[in-house]
Amino acid sequence: MSLVEKLDKIRSPKLQNQRETAVVLSAVEDTLQDQSYGSSPIAYLVALLALLSQSISPSNGLVNKELATSVVYLLDLVTPYVPVPLLRSKFTQILTNLAPALSHHDAEAPLLRSAIGCLESLLVAQDSAAWALPQTQIGPRKAIAGVLMLASDHRPKVRKRVQEAITHILKNPPPSPSLDHPVADMCAETALRNLSEIGRTSIKNKKNKLHGHEIQHQPVLMHALQLVKTIASASRGWPSKKIEPLCEVLMSISKSNNEYLAMATFEVFEIIFAGMADEVSSSKLPRLMEVISELRPSQNDSQLLPPWIAIISRGYDVSAQIDPDGTFQKLPELFVMISGYLASSSHNIRVSASECLISFTVNCIPDNVILEPSVFDEKVLEKLGNLATDLLSVKYQAAWMEVFSVLSALFESLRWRAVSLLEDVVKTVGELRGNDSFNGKKEADAVLSRAIAVMGPGAVLEVLPLNLAKPRAGEPGRAWILPVLRDNVKNTNLAHFRSEFVPLSEAMFQKVIDNGSPEKTMEIKIFETLVQQIWAVFPGYCNLPIDLVPAFDQSFAELIANLLYRQTQLRADLCKALQKLVESNKEVLAAETTENVLALERVTKADAQRNLDHLSSFAGNLLAVLFNVYSQTLPQHRGYILQCINAYLSITPEKEVLETFARVTTLLEAALTETTSQTQVDKQKQTSTEKMPPTSHTLMDLIITLSIHLPRPTFPTLFSLAALILPQTADSQLQKKAYKLLPRLATSEIGVLALQERNTELQALLLNSASTASAPSRRDRLAAIAVVIEHLPTDSLHFIPSILSEVVISAKEPNEKARTAAFDLLVLMGRKMRLGGTIIQSKIPHMPADAPLAVASLEEFFTMISAGLAGSTPHMISASITALTRILYEFHSQLSETVIEDLVSTMDLFLTSNNREIVGSVLGFVKVTIISLPEVVVKPRLETLVPGLMGWSGEHKAHFRSKVKHIFERMIRRFGFDITDKYCPEQDKKLIQNIHKTRERRKRKKNAGGDEEDDDRGATVQKRKGRFESEYDEAIYGSNEDDGSDAAGASDESDADVPRRKTGGGKTFIVEDEDEPLDLLDRRALGNISSTKPVKMKSRVGNGRMKSRTDLDGRLVFGGDDDDDDDTMMMDFGAEGREPGDRTLEGGVGAYVDAIRGRDAVQRGRGGRLKFGNQRGREEMEVDDEDEGEKKVERKMEKRWRGGSGNGSGGARGGRDRGRGEKSRRRGLGVGKTRGGRVGKSVGRGRGDRR
């Protein structure tokens, strides 16, 4: 931004505090204009310096604070544009006038920030001679000292401005042979002295247990660390002479319990290391690493060792970038130094040491050492192998889990060089893994996985043989290695699988055959599982093998073909392996850069091409086998076979592809003839007795797979097949597969050319087959239409209006995928029309031959769809409105206001319709209008829109009430409550006011809730955004939860959801028996977790009497209210809980637990008969009118006594407690008589007292 632009902003101030500055600037410009000095930066500087001397005096300090603030602010703007020689000549004058402002105790932050900015411009302009002046004289060093004093100011903006100024000054040193700025040493010394003093004070207070003083010094300590970071980042590291004292101070501070201080300390080291990563500053690194190594803490200092180890790790990471070979030569020494800490008793130290060793392994072993090691490199690698083996000794047993992580990283870095270096490690880890009492099997498997991946399975199995077919004496079987091999074998020798695993598979399978019994024993099942695990390893061997040409010969191909035919359970692994052979080599050929040099070194691009040529010689026979196997496999298991066929078709010679296509086409035509001649009864009989699909379906799948590999001369035959199948209505699945042909062709370059050449034929085919399209094929038909439109030439735009009605109707399809395809197709059509062109309307079906030409545009496209609004059925009208809604959301920013206004006014009319289907679509249109259209278009329509919406606010069907409420929520959010309320009818204003009050209430709760609620609300918004597939779906079906609105706004009780959302859900209770605690690992434990407070069942003693109560002395207590029992009988349905029946998981579980354990739960009496409780609470039995209540009770009891119902004395067996009449319910001592208003619980059982 230029000076003129900055001054223009001041001339028209928007803030109150800038008006004083605008007045001063106006006065300065008037003075310059009167004296004809012009408006150059020099003229501004001279005028402002004159004003500066009037507002700030070296002797009197701040004379006029307001004027000084404005003048210094303008100086800060002007000085960067003043010539450097003038700034150097005026340095003493400016510094003398600014010094009182910097040191004044009443100086405010705006004045200080502007003064610092002025000094920044002055100091950047100084030369080496000026910087050589001592600090005692008025010069740059004295000025920088004043700036550094403000680095610990309590005001954040002042500190930030100081840091910015120091960074700018240090990054722009004057021309000199030194790497550092002349004042870098002084800045570093000042910052270090300040940091040391504050650090010593903080440590002293900590030792004296003065926690208040310690906490008081922590912010100041953070400010000092921030200054150190600023100087370190600005001067590309730290001055070499000051590195040692800085490291001492930082290491002492890192011992603090305050994690922020420790993090700030590490950031300082990180900045220092990052500044030394370039060649200019790399000379400082050796000295820094030497100093850090000398500051090694005590062996068992769990507080200081982890940060020290982390700093060492980062330092040698930078060293490896600068000097990779030199750092690699130091690696054994570093391993010895750090590995000693793995024997520590502190877990934190062991973890830090292991992470440091992993960092050394990953960063300090260069690629050239693996590819072409020298003699010295091999010696270093040998030392590393010995050190790695020593890590598995008993000395480090406590750290074996951490050691396993280090070994995994070492295998990953050494790659195939680990074959001769880490064999002892593999053997030791394998023996540990085979021990049943060893607890680290998962970690050991991770180490062996890395070993198998880099060393190859042959080297690992040489050390750890399987011992399955011919077990060695004294060695256990290691079948557990097979799953590890399955997941990690790659880039190895395929011949090893043939020599090791194929004979093993034959031996295991022979044992299965030798069994002969029809029933499978456990041993036979084990052998079958071993066979499957062996062949599950095969895909890994086929992932970029290094000996594919000699290993994959005719005999091996025949073996695989036989297994594909005979062993159905192995087909998935075999097809995956064959597919891997092709795809892994094609990936090498497709790699543009050699990023993974280590992998490409073993299989080069030339090797990959040779492998593919070799596989292509087997492709024809393999495809024949795969075709046959595909036809014999059930549809749900065909996917992997089709993928394998596609892979081999890509490398098959063109001649063989043509022959294959000719055979499949002939068979398909014959199958179609047979299918046509079959009766419907035969088809049903075939479907009911055979699970295999018709042959035509299988052949059509193969045709679709073949299509992208066919040459162009075969496309007429291909399209004729599609034309033959599409008009048939007898088989919807076959029709569906035929539509898939066009999207499949669009994935290849040759297919795209064919689609462009034969676009006219495809248009006619799709139009003619519209009447015969079945419902299941709708989505695939829309995808085929989208392919044709995507490659539609500009002279064939008449196809869009020809097919448009079908696409519009599809927007109301029940199938969601079909609707989504229709919406995407509408957008694609709109984009095609937007490109322009001419529409020949005479070619549109049912249009006259003399129809005029039309110009393609978005407005024309909207007009075409709007024609559906005059449809004869509500379904067509609703679909047209839905289509208009979708494209309006997509293209509203590219339409003219006239078109939009016409659309909105038309929808106002439909909003008054009596058809719910039409109105439902209009509500979606209105919501998009409120959300996306400009305010100038929507506001004038609110006068008619609001009353129209209110007419449907009382309709509960089809969720109209909730939809209308959502629309008003968005309307109030965007246009405000006053405008919405203004146009709302008087009788409907309650809804608007309710929404407004709810919003205001939520805002207040959000402000009162603080950050905790913000976090919860942020999580809710994040969850909401993931519910919709597109922005359009979110606009139509989503709600404004991010603004506090409830998605379930159909209910007026939406406020009740706020406290639940705020607290993160209701409370849960565990219901457990008195005899044993609840087992949370039991699958049935969910039934014992309730969202409501559990109810204690009142235990009965004797003949239905309540258990007696006793006091502390054991005496019986009679009468009185049992508050505890009352409390236990109450359900806790507070705001934080979940009630049964509220359709939440907690409420459902609570209802279930209440049903089986509550007071109304079903119980079994004598003889196993079920008893249903009907105990109602006292509040439910309250009767306001005493006389009327007494009469009701008497009539009810008379009816029960006369009717018997099994509850009287002559009741059924098992009703002993119920059949005793009133004598069994004697009134307790101290209990008053019951009259009218309060009725005992026994009334509900038909045995009330009529006293």
Side-chain angles (χ1 to χ4, degrees), residues 10 15 96 171 183 325 335 391 396 450 466 513 539 560 680 695 841-842 971 986 1054 1057 1163 1192 1218:
I10 297 175
L15 300 178
T96 304
K171 284 187 175 181
V183 81
D325 294 331
F335 251 78
L391 293 178
Y396 303 108
R450 292 294 86 214
L466 291 172
I513 296 175
I560 294 175
Q680 188 67 22
T695 307
Q841 298 193 69
S842 59
M971 193 183 297
E986 191 67 31
S1054 59
D1057 189 47
Q1163 300 179 8
K1192 287 183 179 179
R1218 302 183 182 184

Side-chain angles (χ1 to χ4, degrees), residues 1199-1208 1211-1212 1218:
K1199 185 177 180 181
R1200 292 193 176 227
W1201 279 105
R1202 290 173 182 173
S1205 319
N1207 291 337
R1218 302 183 182 184

Side-chain angles (χ1 to χ4, degrees), residues 29 60 70 158 163 215 295 389 414 729 765 967 1021 1145 1182:
E29 289 177 341
N60 299 326
S70 301
V158 175
Q163 293 162 11
I215 294 173
L295 294 173
T389 307
L414 294 180
T729 58
L765 178 62
I967 292 173
V1021 173
L1145 177 61
E1182 291 285 347

Side-chain angles (χ1 to χ4, degrees), residues 180-244:
D180 298 329
H181 195 284
V183 81
D185 288 340
M186 174 188 165
C187 293
E189 183 178 357
T190 303
L192 184 58
R193 182 172 62 251
N194 187 24
L195 181 64
S196 302
E197 293 175 355
I198 299 172
R200 280 196 300 268
T201 305
S202 179
I203 294 173
K204 181 180 178 182
N205 293 334
K206 184 178 179 180
K207 289 181 178 179
N208 296 333
K209 297 183 179 181
L210 299 175
H211 299 291
H213 293 280
E214 181 187 357
I215 294 173
Q216 184 180 359
H217 280 83
Q218 283 180 356
V220 183
L221 194 58
M222 290 290 292
H223 302 162
L225 280 171
Q226 189 65 35
L227 179 61
V228 171
K229 286 169 56 179
T230 301
I231 296 173
S233 60
S235 56
R236 293 194 297 270
W238 194 256
S240 303
K241 299 177 182 178
K242 308 295 180 183
I243 285 179
E244 186 171 357

